[in-house]
Amino acid sequence: MSTSSQHLVKRYWCTGETPNMVRRQRGVEPGPPAPGSLVPCARKPGQRRFEAALLQAANRAMAGMRRRGHALRPTSRVSRVRPDAKALGLRIHDAALDHLLAEVLPVAVGDRVRGVAGLRACPRRDHLDLRSPDGEVRLLGVTRERWRRAVAAGLPVDLALSDHLDPRESAPRPSLPVDLMSGVLRRLPLWRGAAWLDGVVVGDALELYWRGGPSSGSVAAILAGSTCGIPASAAEPYRFRDAVRGVALSTVDTGAVVRAEEPEWAWLEWAAATAPGPAVDERAVRPARELEDLPDVWEQHEMRAALALRDMTTVYRLLTHHGVSRDRIAAATGQPGAEVDHVLSGAKVESYEALSRIAKGLGVPLGYMGLAHDEPTASDDRCDCANLDERAKRDRFLAHAALVTVGSTSGAWGCPSESCRSARPV
């Protein structure tokens, strides 16, 4: 395979575009392109800001789908990215479209606007344009009929179809690493084999977490060191328990970037680990029950930060800001009204039992508050040591010694049963 063909295939892996699409749009140029040119950056700062806001909304949509146990993997919702057209194009899975639009379209709540402020929806014959004063994104394949069905299902479109900006849409926006977030949005198909994907902004860095799918090392190498990488970025991989992976993205000085060889090992490892599959039902992030009369605000940035800190004062204030009365909070959490007023006034809730009761009453995913530690543990299998004769015990010991000799194990000799070990004399 020629060098140019390899680059086309890599872009297909990264964005979901077929090599023929890339050839029609860009042509095949001889020689290796500059770093990041296979997935070009947004040219204007406003467009990058707009794409960063869209990524935040997409993360909220993914978290909502994951929390509701949706049959579609949240990371499979974007099957194709067209990054170098006049407007960034995204092909969204039909089953995920309503979830995404509900998080993207602006909705006035109190004196704030939820969603992407300034965004306006422009339905077309075979696509849906999302425009704002900053930039534009095109949802490919979303027809006028599909848009009408979404509106008929209850999609809030008062602001999205307005000809004028609401004064509340001019509120100051939080500072975000827009270059990194725009780059991730344009490379979302990289995670299509993962069970879920989440992102957290930490200062001027972006931390990405996912479960299953591509390894942390391969994604970090692709994002920071390949021809499909995000220019002027560094990626630090790390992993946790239960197949949870992570990458911390940060911006580096372009003069300090040293172009290394293409990480072919990362592409091979990525290709072997990104086969899409059914969604994974994870009870640790599912709410105990759905409360239809409470707003679904748990994915918002301020709310997620307050939940992670177990700052119930801020949580309650945000709920009241979204129209939830103090009496409704008291009824959901089982707290007396005076106690709710006490928390709203700044009192801390530190009891694990109280926090768990509040989370379950409000329908907050326990994992968002670090309370998902009630998973059933595996039962301890009883050993048969008491029923073994001396010859059987000797045979087991010799088998273990043989494994140690050939280097297949380094563990100490003994029964693996916890009950047996605890019963032995010290």
Side-chain angles (χ1 to χ4, degrees), residues 153 190 278 407:
L190 279 174

Side-chain angles (χ1 to χ4, degrees), residues 58 72 76-81 89-101 130 137-142 146 185 188:
L72 173 72
S76 299
R77 77 203 188 288
V78 178
S79 59
R80 176 188 164 198
V81 177
L90 303 175
R91 185 168 293 277
I92 310 297
H93 195 290
D94 186 74
L97 180 63
D98 290 353
H99 296 273
L100 179 63
L101 290 177
L130 302 178
V137 166
R138 176 165 294 173
L139 301 187
L140 306 172
V142 181
R146 181 64 181 88
L185 179 70
L188 278 180

Side-chain angles (χ1 to χ4, degrees), residues 161-185:
L161 297 179
S162 174
D163 294 331
H164 306 285
L165 285 178
D166 189 284
R168 289 168 288 188
E169 296 182 276
S170 302
R173 305 172 187 175
S175 178
L176 300 173
V178 295
D179 292 347
L180 297 174
M181 297 179 70
S182 171
V184 169
L185 179 70

Side-chain angles (χ1 to χ4, degrees), residues 401-426:
L403 292 175
V404 174
T405 302
V406 298
S408 297
T409 184
S410 59
W413 161 247
C415 177
S417 173
E418 182 66 29
S419 59
C420 183
R421 289 198 300 269
S422 61
R424 290 179 191 156
V426 179

